[in-house]
């Protein structure tokens, strides 16, 4: 396929490289100077999008996505798949989807989980909103860039699935970290805590797969001085998107709101910026109730 790829950062760069390695003809564009193995760099987003079968975007936020969409939609031919893999707010995803559909394109919002490691290894999970037709056409590309793609319904539902998942993740990570810190203070050994909780009703991905305690459970960023992994800053971004969506939809999300507030404090007032989101554990360790 002829693929346009706009936004060649930490995630988009390796995703585009994997598509090129698999034999697709990839033309990329980024506002920063980048060089990606096997990818021809175009002079503008419109040039990267013109005449392609599929155009992929992997951008920082909804405003940038909307600006790029306004530039590339007129350049794309009817029937082209417009595959946005960025994490953005549900409203921006739906607005861009509507504009693209009006122009005769097949828009998909397909945010990912799996992080930079997943992008490099081609093992991302895609949560996809949009038409059956678009989903089927993009299928071979999901297979190269990822290990799983779930069709979640119409436009915007991919973003909805992503922020709901990450709201659960933020909340369970905080709960797991505060429970470890309480267990420490009660004199409970961390290994015993892991052995019990990981096989009991308190288990979760945060405990079992991504344990925030160093030296306990499977290898995780905790064992690498809390280098991300999944940065606390990105968790904060996703929690804020969840709160924005909850407000629009009039949904009551008290635990999500508490998680958003705590990650905001951690990243913006404490030492959380640039650290893995599981570094909440050393944060709680140092604190008392006051
Ligand atoms: P990044 O900042 O490394 O990459 C974004 C790229 O977009 C940059 O290279 C930037 O120069 C480029 N860009 C900005 N404005 C542009 C424009 N107008 N035209 C063309 N290029 C432009 O960010 P990232 O980590 O690659 O994340 C990309 C998206 O993926 C975000 O929405 C993020 O929330 C999501 N995401 C990231 C991770 C992760 O672990 N990094 C995990 C899941 C999802």
């Amino acid at each position: 396929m002829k693929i346009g790829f706009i936004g060649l950062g930490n995630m988009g760069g390796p995703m585009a490289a994997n598509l090129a390695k698999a034999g697709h003809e990839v033309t990329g564009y980024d506002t920063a100077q980048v060089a990606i193995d096997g990818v021809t760099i175009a002079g503008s987003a419109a040039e990267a999008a013109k005449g392609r079968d599929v155009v992929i975007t992997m951008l920082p936020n909804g405003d940038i996505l909307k600006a790029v969409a306004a530039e590339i939609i007129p350049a794309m031919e009817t029937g082209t798949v417009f595959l946005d893999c960025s994490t953005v707010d549900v409203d921006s995803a739906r607005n861009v989807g509507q504009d693209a559909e009006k122009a005769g394109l097949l828009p998909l919002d397909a945010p990912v989980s799996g992080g930079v490691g997943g992008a490099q290894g081609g093992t991302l999970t895609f949560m996809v909103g949009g038409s059956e037709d678009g989903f089927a056409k993009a299928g071979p590309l999901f297979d190269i860039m990822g290990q799983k793609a779930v069709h979640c319904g119409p436009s915007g539902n991919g973003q909805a699935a992503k922020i709901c998942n990450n709201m659960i993740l933020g909340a369970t990570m905080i709960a797991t970290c505060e429970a470890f810190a309480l267990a420490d203070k009660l004199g409970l050994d961390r290994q015993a805590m892991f052995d019990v909780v990981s096989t009991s009703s308190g288990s979760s991905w945060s405990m079992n797969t991504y344990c925030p305690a160093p030296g306990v459970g499977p290898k995780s960023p905790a064992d690498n001085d809390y280098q991300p992994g999944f940065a606390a800053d990105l968790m904060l971004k996703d929690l804020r998107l969840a709160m924005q969506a909850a407000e629009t939809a009039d949904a009551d999300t008290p635990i999500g709101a508490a998680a958003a507030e705590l990650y905001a404090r951690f990243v913006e007032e404490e030492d959380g910026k640039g650290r893995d989101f599981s570094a909440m554990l050393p944060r709680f360790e140092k604190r008392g109730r006051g």
Side-chain angles (χ1 to χ4, degrees):
M1 282 191 210
K2 287 186 183 161
I3 299 171
F5 206 120
I6 299 160
L8 300 164
N10 291 323
M11 296 291 291
M15 290 163 73
N18 282 336
L19 293 170
K21 204 162 56 185
H24 293 290
E25 190 186 318
V26 186
T27 306
Y29 175 71
D30 196 292
T31 43
Q33 280 268 323
V34 290
I36 308 291
D37 270 356
V39 176
T40 307
I41 302 295
S44 70
E47 191 188 321
K50 197 172 161 62
R52 314 293 160 206
D53 304 305
V54 176
V55 176
I56 304 176
T57 45
M58 193 50 163
L59 297 162
N61 60 48
D63 286 342
I64 295 177
L65 170 66
K66 282 190 277 192
V68 169
E71 186 186 340
I72 63 175
I73 288 173
M76 289 158 69
E77 279 154 34
T78 309
T80 304
V81 175
F82 179 178
L83 175 60
D84 176 46
C85 297
S86 330
T87 303
V88 303
D89 58 286
V90 176
D91 287 344
S92 295
R94 291 199 168 134
N95 289 341
V96 166
Q98 273 166 12
D99 291 349
E101 220 163 73
K102 271 190 220 139
L105 309 176
L106 294 171
L108 298 172
D109 55 295
V112 302
S113 94
V116 177
Q120 288 167 342
T123 57
L124 295 167
T125 297
F126 292 86
M127 299 147 237
V128 190
S131 67
E132 288 284 357
D133 246 22
F135 184 69
K137 280 198 173 168
L141 306 186
F142 292 138
D143 289 344
I144 295 164
M145 297 186 286
Q147 61 184 355
K148 192 177 166 85
V150 181
H151 191 208
C152 302
S155 219
N157 280 24
Q159 299 294 348
K162 162 98 186 176
I163 56 171
C164 289
N165 179 73
N166 281 21
M167 188 173 81
I168 295 171
L169 177 61
T172 57
M173 181 53 81
I174 290 169
T176 303
C177 291
E178 68 181 26
F180 260 120
L182 171 62
D184 287 348
K185 291 191 177 185
L186 298 175
L188 181 60
D189 177 69
R190 284 188 171 179
Q191 186 63 52
M193 169 80 175
F194 176 82
D195 290 345
V196 170
V197 175
S198 65
T199 54
S200 301
S201 46
S203 65
S204 70
W205 187 88
S206 295
M207 175 60 88
N208 294 37
T209 309
Y210 206 91
C211 182
V216 175
K219 267 227 158 326
S220 70
D223 300 304
N224 190 24
D225 200 23
Y226 297 100
Q227 299 292 317
F230 183 46
D233 324 38
L234 286 175
M235 173 51 82
L236 175 59
K237 171 189 172 180
D238 292 354
L239 287 168
R240 283 184 166 151
L241 291 176
M243 291 308 98
Q244 192 181 333
E247 188 140 341
T248 311
D250 189 26
D252 188 20
T253 53
I255 302 297
E261 203 181 299
L262 206 50
Y263 272 106
R265 218 184 304 156
F266 187 46
V267 168
E268 291 168 356
E269 295 167 29
E270 301 167 357
D271 63 346
K273 196 169 174 55
R275 304 184 80 195
D276 190 74
F277 83 119
S278 63
M280 273 286 165
L281 175 52
R283 175 191 184 278
F284 280 117
E285 247 171 59
K286 287 185 281 202
R287 299 171 67 89
R289 288 183 77 76

